[in-house]
Amino acid sequence: MRNQYQTGIVELTIPADQSMLLVVRLTTAGVLARSAIGVDKLDDAKMAVEEACSCLMDQLSATGRIYLSFSRGKHHLTVSARSADRCPEMEDEQTADPQELDVVKCLLETLVDEVDLNVCGKWIREIRMRLALAD
């Protein structure tokens, strides 16, 4: 009988360094393999998580960190990629470019079932994605 992890949270913290994306991809593959994700969705889900982390890394300093968590429910797997850096003070009240946010969201929505962006000023603070589990 196959051992499936039923519920729980898997967490990973990495430096905001593009060379760490292989670790993200391997961790994602391991979690997905144990989460009853349909085979057709595996590669898309791995690509979405890697893209979300890369997007956050592009806006962080070299000393920044990314927190990644995978939370499995009964019917969905929720993946959260968030910046460990606090939002910088917004003296000039800059906000994120809505077109850039739309591009990020649209790209990720082609790969996973649901996407939510948590924006702080001009920074994406967190990207949450949900994937439906196979029946």
Side-chain angles (χ1 to χ4, degrees), residues 103-130:
V103 168
V104 169
K105 190 169 182 176
C106 285
L107 172 68
L108 293 174
E109 284 176 336
T110 65
L111 300 169
V112 296
D113 299 315
E114 294 177 36
V115 177
D116 290 311
L117 302 178
N118 178 343
V119 178
C120 176
K122 63 180 180 175
W123 307 102
I124 298 174
R125 173 84 167 114
E126 179 180 25
I127 300 172
R128 292 179 61 87
M129 299 169 283
R130 284 182 55 157

Side-chain angles (χ1 to χ4, degrees), residues 68-114:
L68 192 60
S69 71
F70 302 85
S71 176
R72 187 182 190 284
K74 190 171 183 177
H75 302 289
H76 290 88
L77 178 71
T78 301
V79 181
S80 171
R82 69 179 175 87
S83 164
D85 289 358
R86 292 186 300 152
C87 295
E89 294 298 322
M90 301 291 159
E91 303 96 26
D92 56 0
E93 297 298 320
Q94 285 185 316
T95 58
D97 180 352
Q99 288 181 329
E100 286 183 32
L101 294 177
D102 284 345
V103 168
V104 169
K105 190 169 182 176
C106 285
L107 172 68
L108 293 174
E109 284 176 336
T110 65
L111 300 169
V112 296
D113 299 315
E114 294 177 36

Side-chain angles (χ1 to χ4, degrees), residues 2-39:
R2 187 171 160 218
N3 181 13
Q4 293 183 359
Y5 101 93
Q6 297 299 316
T7 58
I9 297 174
V10 174
E11 296 177 324
L12 175 68
T13 304
I14 59 168
D17 180 335
Q18 296 285 333
S19 68
M20 297 302 295
L21 290 175
L22 178 60
V23 174
V24 168
R25 195 164 177 87
L26 290 171
T27 302
T28 303
V31 170
L32 294 174
R34 298 178 52 104
S35 297
I37 296 289
V39 174

